[in-house]
Amino acid sequence: MAQAISEQKRPAAGFSFRLTDLFWILGAIALLIGAVGMLDRLRFGLAPAAIGSYVPWGLWVGFYDYLVWLEVGSLLLFSGLVYIAHNESLAKIKPLVLFTGFVVLLMALILVAMDLGHFERFWHVYVYADFGSMITWMVWLHTAYLILLSMELFLALRGTGKGLLKTLGIISLPLGLMLILVSGSIFGVVAARPLWNTSSLPLMFFISALAAGASLLLLIVTLFWKDTKSDEFAQLTQLLARIAGWLLLGGTFIAGVIAFTILYQGGGNLQRAAALQLILSGPFWWSFWIVHILLGVAVPVVIYFAFYKSRWLLMIGAALASITFVAVTLNIVIPTLVTEELTGLAAAYHHQKLSVDYVPNLNEWLVVTFVFGFGGVLYGLGLRFLPVLPKDTQANEE
Amino acid sequence: MTEQEKLTPQSTASEGVSRREFLGALAVAGAVAAFEQLAANPQAVLAAYEEQIVQGTLAQSSADLKALDVLERMRIELLRALQKPVGERRWVMVIDLRKCIGCHACTIGCVAENKLPPGVVYRPVIEEEFGTYPNVARRFIPRPCMQCENPPCVPVCPVRATYTNAEGIVEMDYERCIGCRYCLTACPYSARVSDFGFTYTEEIPVIQGLLGTQTADDYERAPNFEYGKEYARQGRNSPVGNARKCHFCQHRILEGVLPACVTTCIGRATFFGDANDPDSLVAELIASPNVLRLREELGTEPRVYYLK
């Protein structure tokens, strides 16, 4: 009997490749490539990055907000559907969704830590907190969210404490909502940057996070659901596709109305209009029109509403929407900052860090690659060694 | 009538005296009075004023000071202000755009005083060219920190590393700052910069005994004295990685010395003093009808005034 148990626990001989192993394999490659930039970042601080004093935030902050949108948006929608709408189908992949959110959250925190001039002092935000600052709120809420999510994940992986898990899930709804609104308010309260300084920005963050999160949920379902021929799968994917589609359309419509009012002749602030024009027709116009509007909205929406019965097309649409949302956060962060506050200032004193010409450089991309590599490795190893996938789904991936 | 008088349109025979002659006479009379009062020795008068300040016998009204060079006057007024309780001082800076010639001496003076590394500048001078040929002109706008009464950079700091002190100067606590640069985005004047850790000597070749970082960087490794503390430039220690900004040379003010940008201004275009002192030069200047402040519409209430 003892021998039988021993044999049962013994790992299978050799290495059996699963498709999910691609996560950690590709992640490890990205980790190695990105390590070059990460080492430079750790050795020389922020000097190798392209950000400067007049464009103090750039690629990393843009990616941070993007990851927050994915993480909080997907978990908000998931908790809402499971705990409020009582969607039983989605509840089956709870550990997987929680684990995905957990990994994305860690990636976001590492990336934003790298953006600090003194990241070794991050604890100052807890000890010397000023709750008049939106960043303080963001750090505290993100910490609370990390703790909550860790507890949820722990319980979900153990399969115990369902009552507590539900309570935590319900608590995560207002917490997530506050986190996403605060992350938008970080920009919204800055009166010096007219394009940010609107009450609609936190709300746009909320809608965008839900849209990005819905697409991420759809991607997870289409990637990992076992019985893709079942009615349950069809109903779940159709539901998520509709939610994601309407959020994409609604968000785009609201953004369009806001843009119209900003650009309307004689009705706006010139600095705000200039920053918006930079998004729409500046050197990186393609990142908005092609990456976001075409690939991130138009194509996914067509798929979500017209081709929702095709798992592969849904997967492509969800992947496109999830990935290309980074163009939105980058377009929120960068064009506003590269619009000079005082004309001629950048020419007044010459240095690479006193310029308003910002294009993310190799160092910044390498650090992002490192963080995504870290996320890939963690996710891949989690899929292999943690019971995050439903057992039958896991077997299917082998 | 001399050739000069023929060319002077302001000459008025009916009044019997030209504008030039009148102004000349006025200047001579003023100079004579000044010389009488100063005993032809401004240094002695300055010392006498300092003595009176120390003894607390200096009269509140200081009409005599107007005869002094503005730097000497401002220094005496600074010493007088320092006699007051901290909370009763209101430091302001006034920059006369008509006098600024764009020499950047203030920028360099500030860099030298605060040992600013590459990429860090507290007082750049913006050059503006306007008009259409042949009617064109240039204007130079020095841009220190505005030391706003309602500073947008302060409330956004998550760790209270920046604050307005009792004298109205917006200060930084380098040891507390985490380097998030939120204050940089919040300042509507881009008056805050980040110290990315560059040094002037890092790229120079090493020639034993002549050049090289060990030989040449003694100067830039020497500490600055911002906020009354010593900040030697070593490794990644603060202020590297921090937000930095102009502080009106507070460390000099407290020693009774004017800010470096004021003393290095060759055109006497920058003025500094206590606006709460009604007899001060800055109080006179900011009551001018041609005074303006940058981006006033934001409600930041800058303490830097420009004369246009």
Side-chain angles (χ1 to χ4, degrees):
Chain A
M1 183 67 179
Q3 189 182 359
I5 292 171
S6 171
E7 282 177 1
Q8 195 181 347
K9 284 189 174 177
R10 191 182 302 157
F15 176 80
S16 61
F17 179 77
R18 301 173 189 167
L19 276 177
T20 55
D21 288 330
L22 282 175
F23 279 105
W24 67 262
I25 292 170
L26 294 174
I29 294 169
L31 203 65
L32 283 175
I33 295 170
V36 178
M38 194 59 155
L39 286 173
D40 268 356
R41 163 66 188 88
L42 296 175
R43 197 171 158 211
F44 303 113
L46 294 169
I51 51 169
S53 289
Y54 298 153
V55 186
W57 291 343
L59 189 74
W60 298 340
V61 171
F63 263 92
Y64 166 75
D65 281 308
Y66 161 67
L67 293 172
V68 171
W69 284 7
L70 284 181
E71 155 214 336
V72 182
S74 61
L75 291 171
L76 264 179
L77 194 65
F78 175 81
S79 298
L81 286 172
V82 170
Y83 298 117
I84 295 175
H86 303 291
N87 187 303
E88 297 294 331
S89 303
L90 205 54
K92 291 179 181 174
I93 55 166
K94 190 183 293 177
L96 179 61
V97 173
L98 293 174
F99 181 64
T100 308
F102 180 76
V103 172
V104 176
L105 187 154
L106 288 183
M107 289 164 64
L109 291 180
I110 293 172
L111 199 51
V112 82
M114 289 302 103
D115 197 64
L116 295 179
H118 281 283
F119 64 82
E120 77 282 1
R121 298 179 186 165
F122 77 94
W123 55 273
H124 285 196
V125 188
Y126 304 110
V127 178
Y128 306 115
D130 181 348
F131 286 99
S133 169
M134 289 298 114
I135 283 189
T136 306
W137 280 101
M138 190 198 73
V139 171
W140 279 63
L141 286 170
H142 225 153
T143 307
Y145 207 73
L146 175 65
I147 294 168
L148 190 85
L149 189 54
S150 303
M151 290 168 67
E152 278 189 272
L153 182 62
F154 178 75
L155 292 173
L157 290 177
R158 286 191 59 174
T160 56
K162 289 191 175 174
L164 180 58
L165 189 55
K166 184 179 179 182
T167 307
L168 294 174
I170 290 170
I171 293 172
S172 76
L173 283 169
L175 196 60
L177 179 66
M178 284 165 68
L179 177 54
I180 207 72
L181 292 178
V182 161
S183 64
S185 301
I186 285 176
F187 302 97
V189 299
V190 180
R193 311 287 178 171
L195 192 60
W196 291 350
N197 188 219
T198 60
S199 53
S200 57
L201 194 67
L203 291 172
M204 284 308 299
F205 263 56
F206 176 58
I207 296 169
S208 303
L210 285 181
S215 292
L216 181 63
L217 273 185
L218 187 59
L219 182 62
I220 292 170
V221 170
T222 52
L223 270 176
F224 296 110
W225 200 272
K226 188 209 167 201
D227 187 2
T228 54
K229 304 289 182 195
S230 65
D231 287 344
E232 190 179 24
F233 175 78
Q235 286 168 2
L236 183 59
T237 50
Q238 188 180 354
L239 172 72
L240 290 173
R242 280 186 178 171
I243 292 172
W246 281 115
L247 283 167
L248 283 174
L249 284 176
T252 308
F253 176 74
I254 295 169
V257 172
I258 293 170
F260 173 75
T261 56
I262 291 173
L263 294 177
Y264 189 76
Q265 289 294 314
N269 175 307
L270 291 178
Q271 198 183 344
R272 178 182 295 160
L276 184 59
Q277 286 287 9
L278 211 53
I279 296 172
L280 302 177
S281 56
F284 294 94
W285 63 270
W286 51 267
S287 70
F288 179 76
W289 291 110
I290 296 179
V291 178
H292 176 52
I293 295 295
L294 178 66
L295 299 177
V297 176
V299 173
V301 162
V302 170
I303 291 173
Y304 290 164
F305 289 114
F307 303 100
Y308 58 86
K309 289 181 181 171
S310 164
R311 177 197 174 201
W312 293 105
L313 280 178
L314 273 183
M315 195 187 296
I316 290 168
L320 276 175
S322 307
I323 293 167
T324 57
F325 250 99
V326 72
V328 184
T329 53
L330 290 174
N331 269 315
I332 289 172
V333 174
I334 299 170
T336 303
L337 293 172
V338 301
T339 309
E340 262 185 325
E341 292 186 306
L342 297 175
T343 306
L345 183 61
Y349 195 83
H350 291 273
H351 193 269
Q352 68 200 61
K353 296 292 186 186
L354 297 173
S355 167
V356 286
D357 296 325
Y358 173 78
V359 178
N361 66 10
L362 183 63
N363 173 262
E364 287 169 301
W365 282 111
L366 285 173
V367 170
V368 169
T369 305
F370 179 89
V371 170
F372 274 78
F374 166 81
V377 168
L378 195 63
Y379 199 60
L381 294 178
L383 292 178
R384 176 167 266 275
F385 296 110
L386 295 173
V388 289
L389 291 171
K391 285 176 186 170
D392 46 359
T393 307
Q394 198 169 342
N396 187 51
E397 291 297 335
E398 288 185 9
Chain B
M1 185 178 278
T2 65
E3 191 65 23
Q4 179 65 38
E5 286 168 335
K6 286 176 188 172
L7 292 172
T8 309
Q10 289 88 354
S11 296
T12 50
S14 60
E15 292 172 4
V17 59
S18 71
R19 181 169 173 266
R20 180 184 293 272
E21 286 168 337
F22 174 74
L23 290 174
L26 199 65
V28 169
V32 169
F35 273 115
E36 284 175 355
Q37 288 174 4
L38 303 179
N41 190 343
Q43 292 300 323
V45 173
L46 197 63
Y49 270 114
E50 288 185 15
E51 183 65 23
Q52 288 180 62
I53 289 164
V54 171
Q55 293 175 356
T57 56
L58 184 70
Q60 286 301 306
S61 175
S62 55
D64 293 349
L65 294 182
K66 292 181 182 176
L68 290 172
D69 181 280
V70 290
L71 278 180
E72 290 167 349
R73 178 180 173 184
M74 286 189 291
R75 174 140 189 269
I76 290 167
E77 289 171 352
L78 173 63
L79 293 170
R80 191 166 66 203
L82 289 172
Q83 302 299 308
K84 300 197 310 188
V86 173
E88 291 180 18
R89 303 169 199 154
R90 180 170 167 262
W91 301 129
V92 302
M93 187 170 280
V94 183
I95 299 170
D96 192 337
L97 297 180
R98 300 162 303 182
K99 289 183 177 174
C100 179
I101 59 167
C103 70
H104 299 264
C106 56
T107 310
I108 303 307
C110 173
V111 167
E113 172 64 29
N114 294 298
K115 310 281 192 300
L116 301 183
V120 175
V121 62
Y122 290 170
R123 190 185 161 101
V125 178
I126 298 169
E127 299 186 16
E128 193 181 4
E129 190 173 300
F130 49 93
T132 308
Y133 180 84
N135 301 310
V136 292
R138 296 179 80 194
R139 182 163 55 201
F140 307 98
I141 308 171
R143 200 261 22 233
C145 170
M146 300 291 136
Q147 314 293 353
C148 306
E149 285 184 34
N150 183 21
C153 54
V154 168
V156 299
C157 178
V159 293
R160 285 181 265 181
T162 186
Y163 49 87
T164 305
N165 73 12
E167 296 171 302
I169 294 174
V170 179
E171 287 191 22
M172 278 297 304
D173 182 341
Y174 286 149
E175 282 80 16
R176 186 176 287 188
C177 172
I178 61 172
C180 68
R181 304 183 303 288
Y182 197 8
C183 54
L184 272 68
T185 68
C187 175
Y189 308 99
S190 294
R192 284 173 171 258
V193 289
S194 188
D195 188 334
F196 290 94
F198 292 100
T199 54
Y200 287 102
T201 52
E202 63 197 0
E203 299 291 337
I204 63 170
V206 176
I207 300 172
Q208 194 62 40
L210 289 173
L211 286 174
T213 52
Q214 291 302 317
T215 312
D217 75 351
D218 286 349
Y219 174 74
E220 64 178 334
R221 299 286 172 196
N224 67 45
F225 297 96
E226 293 181 288
Y227 309 110
K229 296 178 187 172
E230 276 194 34
Y231 290 100
R233 200 162 180 78
Q234 292 171 342
R236 306 209 56 76
N237 294 344
S238 287
V240 174
N242 291 131
R244 301 185 68 174
K245 64 181 286 297
C246 155
H247 34 67
F248 275 179
C249 283
Q250 192 202 9
H251 55 287
R252 286 168 62 104
I253 296 171
L254 295 176
E255 296 296 326
V257 183
L258 291 165
C261 56
V262 177
T263 57
T264 52
C265 179
I266 62 169
R268 300 286 193 271
T270 299
F271 308 95
F272 178 84
D274 174 21
N276 281 349
D277 177 356
D279 294 325
S280 69
L281 176 60
V282 291
E284 282 176 25
L285 293 173
I286 63 175
S288 314
N290 58 332
V291 76
L292 62 86
R293 293 184 290 181
L294 295 182
R295 304 191 72 179
E296 276 193 280
E297 73 280 5
L298 293 173
T300 52
E301 299 292 336
R303 287 191 172 94
V304 175
Y305 297 78
Y306 292 88
L307 297 177
K308 178 180 174 187

